[in-house]
Amino acid sequence: MVRRPRLTTWLEQHRSRPLTLVSAPAGYGKSTLISCWLEAVDCPTAWLSLDEHDNELGAFLAYFLAAIETIFPNAVPETQAMLLASRLPTSAAIAITLLNELNQLDESFILVLDDYHLIDAQPIQDLLSEILAHPPRNLHLVLGTRIDPFLPIVTLRAKSQVTEIRIPDLRFTQTETQLLLVNMLDFPVDPAVVSEVDAQAEGWVTGLRLATLAMRHRIGRDYLPENLSLHNRYVTEYLVTEILAKQAQKWSAWMLKISILERFNAGLCQAVCIQGQEQIGNATPPSVSDGVQFLEWLQAANLFVIPLDDQHVWFRYHHIFREFLQQELVSRFSPENIAGLHAAAGNWYAQNGWIEEALNHLLIAGELSAAVHLVAQQRYSAMNNTQWPRLERLLDFFPNEIIETSAELWMLKTWLVYHHGQFNELPAMLQHLAVIMEHDTNQQIAKDLIGEISSLHSLIAYHAGDIDRAISEAREAIELLDPELWIVRVLARMYLGGSLLAKGDASGGYHAFYAAFDEEKVQHKRFRATLLMTACNFHWIAADLQSMAQAAQQCIEICETIDYQQILGYGKYQLGRVDYQRNNLRAAEKLFASVVDRPYQNYGINYTNSACGLGFTYQALGKEIEAQQVAEAAIAFLLETGNSSQLPYALALQAELALMQERLPLASQWAEKLDPVPPLVPMSGFLAPHITLVKVWLAQNTASSHGRAADLLTELHEYFTRFHNTRFLIETLALKARLEQTRWDQTAALAALNQAVQLAHQGGFIRLFVDLGPQMASLLAQLKVNRGTKAYIQRILAAFSGPMGIMPTSLMEGLPEPLTNREWQILELLGKRLTNKEIADRLFISPGTVRQHTHNIYQKLAVHDRRQAAAKAADLGILSH
């Protein structure tokens, strides 16, 4: 070791800058310099050695965060959670979360990214650019690279935010050259030799080391340094061969064999080098301790080996040395022998849990069956633990032509399609899988997959309305699925329970879910939480808010004890739905926001439904601007992540809010784009776009739109009745009452509303009616019901409030046409003697709109001017609210 205080001092003096860039070609001592500096610093450090497999944002981020957590355990949980997202967030989104978490750390630290030249993926460059644009106060980033990275180095240089160490800085001085020669040769070196070697090597450290090794092995022979050429062409096969030739035959073969490895430890060396033993000739077969002995010898010989950890367990070759060893390996070993080495490495990695590394070597070795089997072994555990990004990375190791002919790999690809919510692609995926299985001679694999296939057929049949087949396929899946693949067993139970409910067998559906707590062999907390979350959808469709609340609360409690974030988000959404419908708005807001604030950490369907819930909640609380922002953010997020399956619900949310905020043109634009009306599908989300469409047509208030609303309501009534979807049947009946009211058929309106109230009473739905507007309050006030139902209706009427206060029931009953929410807002502000402009500014609308609403208020209240309107507001007592 030649310490270089002139450089380490320079690095230490500029540690306050966010970035240090050490950039030079191979062999200039970049890694050694950084290591020497870190030995003396007074802050914690972490080191990440990159390779070509890290050139993908997910893999890079996983290791980047792991490096940070070697210093600060659990320091970046929010960013870690992003790795589990169905789709990895954008670099900008990751950077925001990561920077927030890093800025919360109290202690400064240094993070080294070595061999950064292997990274050229634009998302990774974007991530680091974002970090460097807003550098955390406590992070000092060090990049060791052969080429300048695609980062804003010029900008950072102009701001004095980067320290740069380059070739001229790294070149050995003549004094350092002399020190290196003396240390390595252990005898005095003539100053002329030092001068000559230094001049020829031009300060290139690896060239100097190789030259010194050659000198050391030539002791006793005439040596003329001028006979060597060191002008960066010095490293030739001749010198590598000479170095190898001077080593023990046994160890020289081991050196060649492990050149296939990017990194190695004793066990891996031994596993690889036992293979191809016949190539060593008469050498003694290795013993169990040979791996340890080899590494001890390799370090003692100082042969370009670099430790990767403080315990000296893992090592790598210097890159240049490894490249030449690999060339020598190819010249001495047959392709079959080299493939055997890779196979041995792959098997060792697989046995020790390094799956990605194992796949890489097995595929290089041509061990396709072993590679596929390895993924199959990992698939159940990864699916159960919702490690979908990891499964995608494993699948990416295989070329498409292999995936398309392997039943196991195609099954995995099908599950990834399901996970991304692309249900319309599932039939074609399963059809191709059937073709693969027809030609697959491994019948055991086909048998193992039938249960998974049946679970997906159940899903397809359920969404197509083929309930009998959905039940049959789900039961077959439960019978055949491996007990260990509990995540798919829960899916099968979900469609069995939902299908039985659709058949009118509520008790059977209930049993399909809750019997699993006794029948399933796997009974850990993740399974129980997932099953409870799934059961919530059953209770929602059945309009049973009480059971739904219990299941959701239990799900949340379990998830919080085991840090099961994805299902925890689902549990909060489900409980948020209950709180919203019960008009517990502040509780609902908190629950929905906890999901919406973490879009990448939650599944797309959960995020979208929670955004719908939060938008409705903000609207109910009078936060109209915030409600609009939630809808806009949801649409932007779904477009960014390519989630086309959930986008219609976010657009429907925007239309719902437009209606409630009396922005009918925007809602009408949305409705026009749904022509023709999409086919009906099972509905279990926060809202249903078909229901929204009816609301828009009713609001348009034309004969044509009323006719279209009537036709769709008839279709919806038949559909929800046939499939026993009580939740949306209630809303359909309530909208039918609204329609009949506009047709002046009060008897039909009250009859439909009475049916809705009777279905909703046990569940305790409140907001479902309130969100339909003050016209619904007028109808509810006219219902003639028994005492128990009347108390329920009074709770609903008490919840009819705009942002400014509670609407007086007495006025609702007396008006032929109740005030809208916007008109109630304006009436209160008229009562406060505000001008039209002041009201417009307060409500973010135009003065002309205020004038129009004011005119409508005069007509409805039978008053003639602002003074009388203000007096009426005072009489009604709305100012006190």
Side-chain angles (χ1 to χ4, degrees):
M1 180 68 69
V2 176
R3 303 199 176 273
R4 314 180 75 183
R6 63 185 177 87
L7 295 179
T8 55
T9 300
W10 176 256
L11 291 172
E12 183 64 20
Q13 288 175 344
H14 295 84
R15 201 172 87 192
S16 60
R17 296 175 177 177
L19 176 65
T20 289
L21 177 67
V22 184
S23 179
Y28 273 89
K30 301 182 295 294
S31 301
T32 304
L33 170 65
I34 298 169
S35 297
C36 288
W37 172 44
L38 296 188
E39 287 178 3
V41 298
D42 59 356
C43 69
T45 65
W47 187 294
L48 176 56
S49 293
L50 299 165
D51 60 44
E52 57 267 24
H53 300 302
D54 301 326
N55 197 28
E56 183 268 327
L57 182 57
F60 176 87
L61 182 61
Y63 286 117
F64 188 93
L65 300 179
I68 293 172
E69 292 193 335
T70 61
I71 308 173
F72 308 107
N74 303 315
V76 284
E78 297 293 331
T79 317
Q80 284 281 16
M82 288 182 165
L83 291 170
L84 302 176
S86 58
R87 292 183 185 273
L88 199 63
T90 62
S91 299
I94 294 171
I96 291 171
T97 302
L98 179 57
L99 288 169
N100 287 336
E101 292 188 308
L102 292 180
N103 278 313
Q104 293 174 19
L105 300 176
D106 295 329
E107 190 173 5
S108 296
F109 68 102
I110 298 173
L111 175 59
V112 179
L113 304 181
D114 200 16
D115 297 326
Y116 190 77
H117 54 272
L118 297 172
I119 304 299
D120 60 13
Q122 191 58 48
I124 299 177
Q125 311 289 357
D126 293 342
L127 174 64
L128 289 191
S129 295
E130 290 287 339
I131 292 174
L132 292 170
H134 311 281
R137 55 183 174 78
N138 45 18
L139 168 64
H140 183 80
L141 192 63
V142 181
L143 302 184
T145 177
R146 294 185 186 180
I147 59 175
D148 277 9
F150 297 103
L151 297 173
I153 302 300
V154 174
T155 302
L156 294 170
R157 186 184 298 138
K159 296 179 178 179
S160 297
Q161 290 187 321
V162 59
T163 301
E164 299 175 74
I165 302 290
R166 298 186 176 277
I167 294 175
D169 308 299
L170 290 167
R171 283 176 176 153
F172 264 37
T173 64
Q174 187 164 332
T175 301
E176 289 169 336
T177 300
Q178 182 174 18
L179 184 57
L180 177 68
L181 295 180
V182 170
N183 287 347
M184 291 188 67
L185 296 176
D186 279 337
F187 62 80
V189 182
D190 188 290
V193 173
V194 173
S195 179
E196 180 63 25
V197 171
D198 180 65
Q200 292 183 28
E202 296 181 342
W204 184 40
V205 182
T206 296
L208 288 168
R209 289 189 64 198
L210 285 170
T212 308
L213 282 171
M215 290 182 194
R216 189 165 66 187
H217 294 304
R218 288 169 177 262
I219 294 174
R221 297 165 56 182
D222 293 335
Y223 176 69
L224 298 175
E226 62 273 13
N227 293 334
L228 294 175
S229 173
L230 296 178
H231 291 286
N232 290 0
R233 295 188 297 273
Y234 170 74
V235 184
T236 63
E237 184 179 354
Y238 165 77
L239 282 178
V240 176
T241 304
E242 180 169 301
I243 291 172
L244 285 173
K246 300 300 180 181
Q247 315 309 324
Q249 184 181 26
K250 170 181 173 179
W251 295 139
S252 65
W254 279 49
M255 289 174 64
L256 290 173
K257 289 182 176 183
I258 66 169
S259 68
I260 69 166
L261 305 170
E262 294 172 355
R263 59 180 184 136
F264 45 84
N265 64 12
L268 181 54
C269 288
Q270 188 160 307
V272 171
C273 293
I274 288 175
Q275 303 298 317
Q277 184 63 34
E278 67 279 1
Q279 297 298 318
I280 304 178
N282 297 323
T284 304
S287 67
V288 293
S289 63
D290 273 3
V292 175
Q293 293 178 8
F294 170 67
L295 287 184
E296 291 175 348
W297 171 83
L298 197 61
Q299 294 176 79
N302 197 24
L303 289 176
F304 300 94
V305 62
I306 299 171
L308 296 178
D309 54 64
D310 294 337
Q311 294 75 33
H312 285 209
V313 174
W314 286 92
F315 299 84
R316 69 168 173 86
Y317 279 134
H318 190 287
H319 299 302
I320 293 177
F321 194 57
R322 181 187 175 209
E323 290 168 6
F324 280 103
L325 288 176
Q326 287 177 320
Q327 294 173 13
E328 192 68 15
L329 177 74
V330 171
S331 69
R332 296 192 189 189
F333 285 70
S334 69
E336 293 75 17
N337 291 139
I338 296 174
L341 300 177
H342 282 288
N347 290 331
W348 185 92
Y349 274 124
Q351 292 166 10
N352 287 274
W354 302 89
I355 306 305
E356 285 82 354
E357 291 87 343
L359 283 176
N360 181 50
H361 285 285
L362 288 173
L363 290 171
I364 292 175
E367 296 287 339
L368 181 61
S369 296
V372 172
H373 180 65
L374 180 59
V375 172
Q377 286 180 315
Q378 299 297 311
R379 187 165 65 82
Y380 285 10
S381 174
M383 287 174 63
N384 285 340
N385 289 287
T386 63
Q387 296 175 338
W388 300 105
R390 181 177 181 234
L391 285 168
E392 287 193 274
R393 289 199 297 271
L394 295 182
L395 194 63
D396 285 343
F397 274 89
F398 298 89
N400 286 333
E401 56 268 24
I402 299 300
I403 297 172
E404 291 172 355
T405 56
S406 166
E408 275 284 3
L409 297 181
W410 193 260
M411 184 79 256
L412 172 54
K413 184 172 182 177
T414 303
W415 279 119
L416 290 169
V417 167
Y418 158 80
H419 171 67
H420 291 312
Q422 299 163 331
F423 292 174
N424 58 320
E425 296 182 22
L426 288 176
M429 297 292 295
L430 292 176
Q431 186 176 0
H432 182 71
L433 181 58
V435 173
I436 297 174
M437 291 170 64
E438 285 179 4
H439 299 88
D440 198 326
T441 58
N442 192 331
Q443 295 303 309
Q444 183 58 46
I445 291 179
K447 182 180 178 181
D448 292 342
L449 297 181
I450 289 175
E452 296 180 62
I453 294 169
S454 295
S455 68
L456 289 173
H457 277 307
S458 176
L459 177 157
I460 294 168
Y462 177 80
H463 286 277
D466 189 348
I467 301 303
D468 289 333
R469 184 182 179 189
I471 293 173
S472 173
E473 294 282 4
R475 283 175 170 159
E476 182 176 39
I478 293 170
E479 180 181 348
L480 297 177
L481 278 166
D482 190 317
E484 293 300 318
L485 191 54
W486 60 262
I487 192 80
V488 180
R489 296 184 67 84
V490 169
L491 179 72
R493 285 186 178 274
M494 178 177 79
Y495 282 104
L496 176 59
S499 298
L500 289 170
L501 177 63
K503 290 278 286 186
D505 185 2
S507 62
Y510 186 91
H511 182 270
F513 286 106
Y514 290 100
F517 289 117
D518 297 320
E519 295 174 357
E520 292 290 336
K521 293 181 180 179
V522 175
Q523 287 289 338
H524 53 63
K525 290 184 176 181
R526 280 179 173 249
F527 159 74
R528 297 174 72 85
T530 305
L531 189 66
L532 285 165
M533 176 276 295
T534 304
C536 288
N537 287 327
F538 174 91
H539 298 307
W540 175 253
I541 292 171
D544 184 355
L545 294 183
Q546 181 62 34
S547 297
M548 184 177 176
Q550 292 174 356
Q553 189 60 56
Q554 292 175 34
C555 172
I556 291 171
E557 290 171 359
I558 293 173
C559 290
E560 288 178 338
T561 64
I562 59 175
D563 194 28
Y564 195 9
Q565 290 298 319
Q566 291 89 349
I567 302 303
L568 175 61
Y570 266 117
K572 290 183 175 181
Y573 155 65
Q574 302 286 17
L575 189 58
R577 287 205 284 188
V578 174
D579 278 327
Y580 180 78
Q581 287 301 333
R582 289 175 170 174
N583 206 37
N584 300 325
L585 297 180
R586 295 300 180 186
E589 177 187 12
K590 183 177 180 181
L591 289 164
F592 289 137
S594 69
V595 179
V596 173
D597 289 346
R598 298 179 175 183
Y600 296 101
Q601 288 92 324
N602 289 281
Y603 288 112
I605 187 172
N606 188 29
Y607 164 78
T608 306
N609 276 306
S610 296
C612 291
L614 187 59
F616 270 67
T617 305
Y618 279 152
Q619 178 65 31
L621 290 169
K623 301 179 179 180
E624 293 190 357
I625 301 302
E626 290 88 338
Q628 293 176 31
Q629 290 171 342
V630 167
E632 291 166 0
I635 293 168
F637 173 76
L638 295 170
L639 288 172
E640 173 201 314
T641 55
N643 193 334
S644 58
S645 65
Q646 292 304 304
L647 186 59
Y649 297 93
L651 293 170
L653 167 64
Q654 193 173 54
E656 289 268 9
L657 295 174
L659 284 176
M660 288 189 276
Q661 296 172 11
E662 301 185 13
R663 294 181 290 133
L664 183 58
L666 177 60
S668 296
Q669 288 176 12
W670 168 82
E672 289 173 6
K673 295 177 182 178
L674 265 67
D675 190 10
V677 178
L680 293 174
V681 295
M683 302 176 197
S684 61
F686 186 88
L687 56 77
H690 291 83
I691 295 284
T692 307
L693 195 55
V694 171
K695 294 177 183 178
V696 175
W697 286 336
L698 289 176
Q700 289 174 344
N701 201 26
T702 66
S704 173
S705 67
H706 286 171
R708 300 183 74 181
D711 291 342
L712 183 52
L713 281 172
T714 299
E715 188 178 356
L716 289 170
H717 186 276
E718 188 278 331
Y719 183 85
F720 293 137
T721 301
R722 176 158 51 97
F723 292 117
H724 299 272
N725 189 326
T726 307
R727 157 62 183 90
F728 285 109
L729 178 59
I730 295 169
E731 195 164 4
T732 298
L733 288 166
L735 285 169
K736 185 178 180 182
R738 281 273 311 275
L739 173 64
E740 297 299 344
Q741 184 187 38
T742 63
R743 291 173 165 177
W744 301 100
D745 189 341
Q746 200 74 351
T747 301
L750 293 175
L753 183 58
N754 185 58
Q755 292 182 56
V757 168
Q758 297 307 320
L759 291 173
H761 185 187
Q762 185 175 359
F765 285 82
I766 293 177
R767 292 302 315 183
L768 185 150
F769 297 100
V770 175
D771 291 339
L772 295 180
Q775 295 89 343
M776 181 55 59
S778 176
L779 280 172
L780 284 167
Q782 298 175 57
L783 274 182
K784 306 300 181 183
V785 293
N786 60 38
R787 181 178 299 177
T789 305
K790 187 173 183 179
Y792 169 53
I793 291 175
Q794 289 300 320
R795 293 203 308 274
I796 299 175
L797 290 174
F800 269 89
S801 61
M804 303 300 175
I806 298 173
M807 297 180 186
T809 304
S810 59
L811 181 61
M812 297 178 199
E813 295 173 345
L815 288 176
E817 186 179 358
L819 300 182
T820 66
N821 284 341
R822 180 69 79 193
E823 288 164 355
W824 278 106
Q825 290 176 303
I826 292 174
L827 178 59
E828 178 173 6
L829 298 175
L830 287 172
K832 294 180 178 180
R833 310 290 181 172
L834 298 184
T835 66
N836 282 356
K837 185 178 186 308
E838 289 171 332
I839 294 174
D841 291 342
R842 184 79 63 90
L843 299 180
F844 301 99
I845 56 180
S846 70
T849 302
V850 173
R851 284 192 295 273
Q852 180 60 49
H853 282 302
T854 302
H855 177 72
N856 293 340
I857 292 170
Y858 293 170
Q859 289 184 321
K860 292 179 179 180
L861 297 183
V863 298
H864 300 92
D865 55 33
R866 297 171 66 91
R867 180 184 59 79
Q868 292 180 348
K872 191 70 172 181
D875 291 342
L876 294 172
I878 66 171
L879 297 182
S880 63
H881 300 289

